[in-house]
Amino acid sequence: MEIQTSEQLTQKKCKPCEGGVDPCTLDESNNQLLKLQGWYLTHDGQRIRKDWVVKNFMAGMKFFNQVAEVAESDGHHPDLHIAGYRNVSIELWTHAIGGLSENDFILAAKIDQLPIDLK
């Protein structure tokens, strides 16, 4: 995978993935994460995650609704987590390959562009 800036990633659209391709290597993932602020590897390098503390529960739900619109438009869907009414997290990975693909970094960059009402 070619390492790209956040701006380059946001200009792309996620591509359908039915499997049959190799996930990103750990080196590729780490290098791409250097271009995305706040995202980090989880699950032995198979997923990326970002955490936020929002103003209140409704701010978290508003953010998640915006994320849902972007995710649906790109056909790539994250795991959304809310805990303690204002701790929100998003986890991305390409389910069909059991690891990370360019799609995950594209969606992460697009999520980073969304407004969020932080604490």
Side-chain angles (χ1 to χ4, degrees):
M1 180 183 85
E2 176 188 346
I3 305 307
Q4 301 164 74
T5 67
S6 180
E7 293 77 23
Q8 289 172 312
L9 290 167
T10 59
Q11 299 305 309
K12 294 187 163 196
K13 186 161 175 68
C14 294
K15 297 175 185 166
C17 181
E18 302 298 326
V21 296
D22 290 331
C24 296
T25 67
L26 192 56
D27 278 347
E28 289 171 327
S29 297
N30 278 319
N31 287 328
Q32 186 59 69
L33 285 177
L34 294 173
K35 307 289 185 182
L36 297 170
Q37 189 173 10
W39 292 88
Y40 59 94
L41 291 170
T42 66
H43 293 80
D44 295 322
Q46 295 178 348
R47 301 178 188 182
I48 58 173
R49 181 182 177 109
K50 188 170 181 177
D51 310 303
W52 299 263
V53 179
V54 293
K55 186 175 181 179
N56 53 41
F57 180 78
M58 291 309 292
M61 296 310 296
K62 180 179 176 184
F63 178 60
F64 280 171
N65 282 326
Q66 294 173 94
V67 170
E69 291 290 328
V70 171
E72 187 65 19
S73 174
D74 265 36
H76 192 60
H77 303 95
D79 284 1
L80 307 174
H81 306 272
I82 190 163
Y85 82 89
R86 67 203 237 171
N87 300 301
V88 298
S89 301
I90 295 178
E91 213 165 48
L92 293 163
W93 80 99
T94 302
H95 299 80
I97 62 172
L100 294 166
S101 73
E102 183 182 47
N103 289 345
D104 302 300
F105 299 103
I106 290 170
L107 190 56
K110 289 180 179 184
I111 289 168
D112 282 346
Q113 289 189 318
L114 297 173
I116 183 168
D117 194 5
L118 298 172
K119 178 182 172 194

